[in-house]
Amino acid sequence: SAGASDDRLVFGAGSDLSIYHDGTNSSIDNETAALIFRSDQYRFRDKDDGDTFVNFIHDGAVELYYDNSKKLETYNQGVSVSGNLVATGTIYANTNIEINNIAPQIFLVDSNNNSDFALQNINGTFVVKDTTNSANRFTINSSGTVGINNNLDVDGQTDLDDLVVSGVGTFSTRIDTNGVSFGTNNNTFAAKFVDNAVANFGTDNDLKIFHDG
């Protein structure tokens, strides 16, 4: 049938499907139920048959292209993305997230303030990096040793098996060990030993000072 500005192929008793060109664009209009295409593969290409836009493969992948370069592909375990993935909202994962690379890292960039940070696995050592100042702030190696580059501010009680300090340790009140205290409290003192706690001096503990009660 013919219209005022286009010629149409019309299908269906109620003119349900029409194919036409309006002088600018070519269109397929389906006005009822679904428009079904049947083939084992669909490939959409440009008018010069040079670039592929999308490729649908029966019992296989769906492929999306940018400038004829494949960027996204479905496969039997999910989706594969080539290049960067930019999300403007929250990304949710109901299972594990694995980053597999040499020295993989996650960047945490604060768009309002510095510093920016990164979490990285460097040769088996977990590192918190200050990327703004190019400094490692916190590390944990494969033996469980924790390294802190700069000050450690502890608010509350901390239980440690061994503590090695390279530099100066500053305590606002006192240090309490098993029967021995160093520092100050309401009764000012530099060192306090409970009964039978011994202060040893000399390489071979040549001098001992204690009170037996």
Side-chain angles (χ1 to χ4, degrees):
S1 65
S5 60
D6 57 61
D7 293 328
R8 298 176 180 240
L9 290 176
V10 179
F11 302 87
S15 299
D16 303 304
L17 174 67
S18 58
I19 302 174
Y20 62 96
H21 182 76
D22 62 8
T24 302
N25 299 307
S26 299
S27 303
I28 300 175
D29 290 349
N30 178 54
E31 299 182 5
T32 182
L35 181 62
I36 299 174
F37 299 86
R38 292 187 174 91
S39 176
D40 280 344
Q41 184 171 354
Y42 297 95
R43 182 175 300 166
F44 293 85
R45 301 175 64 87
D46 65 7
K47 63 181 179 62
D48 299 320
D49 199 31
D51 289 357
T52 297
F53 305 140
V54 62
N55 193 20
F56 302 95
I57 303 170
H58 175 64
D59 290 337
V62 172
E63 302 171 343
L64 298 181
Y65 292 75
Y66 177 84
D67 194 19
N68 208 39
S69 175
K70 184 166 58 177
K71 296 301 181 182
L72 186 145
E73 177 182 8
T74 63
Y75 68 113
N76 62 340
Q77 296 184 21
V79 177
S80 175
V81 176
S82 299
N84 299 327
L85 178 62
V86 179
T88 58
T90 303
I91 298 177
Y92 295 94
N94 294 323
T95 184
N96 298 327
I97 297 177
E98 178 178 326
I99 302 175
N100 193 330
N101 200 356
I102 298 174
Q105 58 186 323
I106 299 175
F107 291 96
L108 305 174
V109 179
D110 189 337
S111 59
N112 293 324
N113 297 286
N114 286 330
S115 294
D116 297 325
F117 287 87
L119 307 178
Q120 188 171 21
N121 181 355
I122 304 176
N123 298 322
T125 296
F126 174 75
V127 180
V128 177
K129 299 172 60 177
D130 179 345
T131 56
T132 301
N133 297 292
S134 301
N136 293 344
R137 299 302 188 191
F138 179 86
T139 61
I140 304 176
N141 67 17
S142 58
S143 299
T145 301
V146 176
I148 298 174
N149 184 10
N150 216 313
N151 299 327
L152 173 62
D153 187 1
V154 178
D155 184 8
Q157 178 176 332
T158 301
D159 296 322
L160 302 172
D161 293 331
D162 295 292
L163 175 63
V164 178
V165 179
S166 299
V168 178
T170 303
F171 302 85
S172 59
T173 55
R174 66 180 188 273
I175 303 172
D176 291 324
T177 66
N178 187 16
V180 181
S181 299
F182 299 93
T184 60
N185 61 8
N186 293 333
N187 298 315
T188 301
F189 60 88
K192 179 179 179 181
F193 296 76
V194 298
D195 291 344
N196 296 310
V198 179
N200 294 295
F201 299 86
T203 303
D204 298 318
N205 298 324
D206 305 300
L207 173 64
K208 299 177 183 291
I209 301 176
F210 65 96
H211 180 72
D212 62 6

